[in-house]
């Protein structure tokens, strides 16, 4: 076992403190497309706290992905120009409050060294807790560091992705993104210029800024909420997605969904470019 492998595996950062208000909750909901129809009362419940009939503001479950933005296990010493997000798997233990002081405990779960010039996959976890110490959400993700690897980590199999149904989708949903959607979503925390600066995006090999992968993740959560969960945040207990290609702001995402009991399988495509942007998606309903 190499020293570099041990260094990564031992990274952890406990008791990180964060706070947010209803402003951040509503900004996130707007960032993933809620409220595009300002007369849709069901979606307004996620972006508007001021209503004639008293009602509580709803929190999108995937808000957990930005509630503690900046948390992490520590400095992984990677070539960040060559790092891409691989997947996200969030378990929702209890509803995210409209406003809260929370703590985040982050650690590295496993390191998969694919070899020299092949990169390394780092699987990491962050657990969010409320002031009482109760779990709110567990966020598991993976980073594919294309510029690292070959340091002699153990040859371990990666977790198998969710198996997709073989039949035709039960539901197909067309979701239009806004040309300025990345500029809105970046205010939730991820200020990477890849999503906002045209010149930076060109230097990174893209014709224009790309949408955040976690924005696409949130859009898929929104789609399941509105299709199979009756816009009830309590209905979702887990939401999983693997990122396979970027979305450009303004594109139309085609979401294909399959329902098998309380399991919703999904994939997302951009038909105009004939690419699949999300694979092996799964939502577990309560």
């Amino acid at each position: 076992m190499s020293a570099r492998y041990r260094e990564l595996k031992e990274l952890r950062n406990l008791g990180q403190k964060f706070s947010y208000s209803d402003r951040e909750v509503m900004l996130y909901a707007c960032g993933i497309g809620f409220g595009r129809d300002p007369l849709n009362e069901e979606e307004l419940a996620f972006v508007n706290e001021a209503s004639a009939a008293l009602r509580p503001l709803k929190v999108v479950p995937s808000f957990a992905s930005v509630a503690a933005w900046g948390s992490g296990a520590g400095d992984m010493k990677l070539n960040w120009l060559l790092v891409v997000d691989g997947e996200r798997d969030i378990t929702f233990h209890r509803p995210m409050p409209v406003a809260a002081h929370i703590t985040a405990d982050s650690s590295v779960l496993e390191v998969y060294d694919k070899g020299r010039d092949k990169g390394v996959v780092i699987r990491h976890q962050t657990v969010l807790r409320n002031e009482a110490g109760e779990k709110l959400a567990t966020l598991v993700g993976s980073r594919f560091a294309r510029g690292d690897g070959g340091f002699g980590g153990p040859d371990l199999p990666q977790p198998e992705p969710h198996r997709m149904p073989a039949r035709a989708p039960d539901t197909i949903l067309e979701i239009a993104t806004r040309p300025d959607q990345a500029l809105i979503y970046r205010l939730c925390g991820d200020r990477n210029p890849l999503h906002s600066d045209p010149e930076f995006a060109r230097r990174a090999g893209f014709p224009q800024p790309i949408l955040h992968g976690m924005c696409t993740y949130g859009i898929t959560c929104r789609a399941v909420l509105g299709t199979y969960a009756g816009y009830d945040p309590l209905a979702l207990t887990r939401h999983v997605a693997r990122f396979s290609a970027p979305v450009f702001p303004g594109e139309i995402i085609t979401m294909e969904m399959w329902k098998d009991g309380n399991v919703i399988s999904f994939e997302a495509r951009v038909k105009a470019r004939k690419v699949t942007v999300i694979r092996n998606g799964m939502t577990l309903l309560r």
Side-chain angles (χ1 to χ4, degrees):
M1 187 183 300
S2 72
R4 176 63 172 142
Y5 174 80
R6 288 196 302 271
E7 177 187 18
L8 287 168
K9 273 296 296 288
E10 291 170 2
L11 284 175
R12 56 184 39 80
N13 192 357
L14 308 181
Q16 302 162 86
K17 297 185 183 298
F18 297 88
S19 63
Y20 64 86
S21 70
D22 63 352
R23 181 183 184 277
E24 286 72 37
V25 165
M26 290 184 282
L27 178 60
Y28 175 79
C30 287
I32 62 172
F34 275 100
R36 289 197 62 182
D37 178 358
L39 299 181
N40 183 326
E41 293 285 347
E42 290 186 300
E43 294 212 348
L44 276 176
F46 292 89
V47 296
N48 176 31
E49 86 293 0
S51 55
L54 188 63
R55 69 180 180 205
L57 182 69
K58 292 183 178 182
V59 183
V60 185
S62 56
F63 171 73
S65 65
V66 300
W69 177 258
S71 61
D75 184 4
M76 296 182 181
K77 300 176 184 177
L78 303 173
N79 181 352
W80 290 103
L81 288 176
L82 297 176
V83 175
V84 296
D85 219 346
E87 64 178 332
R88 197 65 86 248
D89 179 349
I90 304 181
T91 298
F92 311 110
H93 303 293
R94 47 179 38 86
M96 293 296 293
V98 171
H101 296 282
I102 61 175
T103 59
D105 297 332
S106 302
S107 59
V108 170
L109 295 175
E110 194 50 87
V111 179
Y112 305 94
D113 185 2
K114 302 173 77 67
R116 188 176 300 278
D117 300 323
K118 295 182 180 178
V120 60
V121 175
I122 302 171
R123 192 169 172 83
H124 51 90
Q125 173 181 279
T126 295
V127 178
L128 305 183
R129 301 178 187 272
N130 61 19
E131 288 186 282
E134 301 167 322
K135 287 184 179 180
L136 292 169
T138 297
L139 293 69
V140 175
S142 68
R143 292 171 177 164
F144 178 36
R146 295 170 292 166
D148 297 88
F151 48 77
D155 184 15
L156 300 172
Q158 291 181 237
E160 289 292 325
H162 172 65
R163 187 182 298 274
M164 301 300 295
R167 67 183 188 275
D170 298 318
T171 303
I172 299 177
L173 196 62
E174 301 286 335
I175 305 167
T177 63
R178 295 168 53 106
D180 62 352
Q181 193 143 1
L183 298 178
I184 299 171
Y185 185 84
R186 71 189 297 268
L187 300 179
C188 297
D190 188 347
R191 302 291 186 92
N192 187 337
L194 177 61
H195 308 294
S196 59
D197 183 69
E199 178 58 26
F200 189 96
R202 284 191 289 270
R203 290 182 181 181
F206 297 100
Q208 67 179 78
I210 63 175
L211 196 62
H212 305 69
M214 288 307 296
C215 182
T216 305
Y217 176 91
I219 288 171
T220 63
C221 183
R222 170 184 154 220
V224 175
L225 259 180
T227 305
Y228 289 114
Y231 289 101
D232 179 7
L234 296 177
L236 275 63
T237 66
R238 189 180 173 199
H239 192 68
V240 183
R242 292 167 66 93
F243 307 109
S244 55
V247 173
F248 294 110
E251 290 187 317
I252 295 175
I253 298 173
T254 300
M255 180 97 161
E256 298 180 346
M257 292 175 275
W258 295 258
K259 187 177 189 302
D260 294 285
N262 66 337
V263 175
I264 309 300
S265 303
F266 63 88
E267 290 196 332
R269 314 179 194 283
V270 174
K271 288 183 177 179
R273 288 188 290 120
K274 299 180 181 179
V275 296
T276 299
V277 297
I278 294 288
R279 296 184 184 275
N280 305 103
M282 187 276 288
T283 303
L284 186 63
L285 301 178
R286 198 174 299 277

